Amino acid sequence: MLAAGAVIVDDGGRILMVKRGHAPEKGRWSVPGGHVEAGETLAEAAAREVREETGLEAVIGRELWCAIIDYSDAETFEIHDFAATVIGGELRAGDDAEDARWMTADELERAPLVGRLRAHLRAAGIPPSDQVAPKGPI
């Protein structure tokens, strides 16, 4: 399965996240994204998924990473995630998203994320390490 998503960080450093409403990984948080439809480019699919899942319009930028994920013996996902910028719309959960919201770095640290998303975000410097509060007593 070919899929595309968007990593969107606002001016305040918050990351746009959606709570998955369906399998795989129902109830976990992810960046907006989903299947690439016939005839779509990866960037077009990422923009469409942002619109469908969050109600926001986005401009898609450079590709941040590609991840290959095996969800079962029969399903392997090739996921391309892109940097993106919101240019309009009103935030609301839609399509197959159970919830959609902007998360601070601290909220993101505590949220149950899909698969290896946390590692991919960290590798891309999202959120910047100076935005995450240290855990526990210092």
Side-chain angles (χ1 to χ4, degrees):
M1 286 282 175
L2 190 57
V7 178
I8 303 173
V9 181
D10 71 5
D11 291 338
R14 298 177 306 166
I15 297 96
L16 182 62
M17 301 294 289
V18 295
K19 189 173 190 180
R20 294 189 50 81
H22 300 287
E25 301 198 61
K26 178 182 179 356
R28 293 193 167 270
W29 291 92
S30 184
V31 296
H35 298 96
V36 177
E37 295 179 357
E40 276 185 319
T41 66
L42 293 168
E44 289 168 343
R48 176 184 49 76
E49 288 290 342
V50 169
R51 185 174 48 257
E52 289 176 358
E53 292 185 348
T54 71
L56 299 173
E57 296 293 328
V59 172
I60 306 301
R62 69 181 175 85
E63 185 170 338
L64 296 171
W65 60 75
C66 173
I68 307 296
I69 301 173
D70 293 320
Y71 279 112
S72 68
D73 292 338
E75 279 191 318
T76 298
F77 283 74
E78 177 181 319
I79 304 169
H80 296 261
D81 284 331
F82 295 83
T85 304
V86 170
I87 58 170
E90 189 171 318
L91 182 60
R92 54 142 184 83
D95 195 35
D96 61 351
E98 190 176 302
D99 193 4
R101 72 170 84 150
W102 292 101
M103 287 190 179
T104 65
D106 287 339
E107 290 169 328
L108 191 67
E109 273 300 304
R110 293 187 306 270
L113 303 185
V114 297
R116 298 182 307 252
L117 179 59
R118 191 176 319 278
H120 287 290
L121 289 168
R122 284 184 179 145
I126 303 165
S129 58
D130 63 350
Q131 289 186 3
V132 180
K135 293 182 180 180
I138 296 176

